[in-house]
Amino acid sequence: MIPSHLRDIAADPWMRDAVDVLTGVIGTLSQMRLARTIRGKGPAYGAWFMSEENATRVEDAIDNLDVLAAQLDKRQFHVVCPACEGAGKNCDDCHNSGWMPEYAYKLYRGEAQSNG
C-alpha cells in the first residue's frame, strides 16, 4: 500500500516522460550526425564557424543528455521503503524520502552492489 503522501510521486509520469524525451533528442542528434556535419562544413564556412569547437559542444551535449537520461531512469519511484514503511523519518535506507528507486531497493535486499 502506498501512503497518501507518496501517491503523487508514485503515479507521476514526469520522470519516465523526461527520459523518453531525452532519449528521443539523443537519437535525433545522433541520426543527424550533427557533429560530423559541422566538421564537414568547417572549410566552407571558415574560421568564424568554429567547426571543431562546435562539433565538440554537440558531442558533449549528447554525452551530458545521455548521462541525465540514465540518472533520471535509475532514480524513478519503485517501492515504498520497507524499512520505514513510507514514513521517511530518520531512515537512512530511503534518505528520509519514504520510497526507493529500484537499484536502492535491490541494495536494501542485498541483491546488488552499490554503484550509486
Side-chain angles (χ1 to χ4, degrees):
M1 175 99 134
I2 298 175
S4 61
H5 69 281
L6 294 178
R7 287 186 188 139
D8 286 344
I9 294 168
D12 190 351
W14 175 84
M15 206 176 298
R16 168 60 24 217
D17 293 346
V19 170
D20 290 345
V21 167
L22 289 168
T23 302
V25 168
I26 293 164
T28 299
L29 291 173
S30 297
Q31 282 179 341
M32 290 176 62
R33 294 184 173 96
L34 191 55
R36 190 169 93 184
T37 301
I38 289 171
R39 283 188 177 96
K41 299 276 185 190
Y45 284 88
W48 291 110
F49 189 55
M50 299 172 49
S51 62
E52 188 56 40
E53 292 89 345
N54 287 324
T56 300
R57 286 184 182 103
V58 169
E59 292 165 342
D60 291 347
I62 290 171
D63 290 345
N64 287 329
L65 291 173
D66 194 41
V67 169
L68 176 59
Q71 291 297 315
L72 290 176
D73 190 44
K74 184 177 183 179
R75 284 158 170 68
Q76 295 184 64
F77 182 96
H78 182 67
V79 296
V80 172
C81 177
C84 69
E85 298 178 340
K89 297 201 182 341
N90 301 317
C91 184
D92 291 336
D93 292 307
C94 67
H95 301 285
N96 302 319
S97 68
W99 63 277
M100 294 179 172
E102 184 177 15
Y103 84 92
Y105 181 62
K106 286 181 177 180
L107 284 172
Y108 175 82
R109 294 191 47 161
E111 298 173 6
Q113 292 183 343
S114 178
N115 65 0

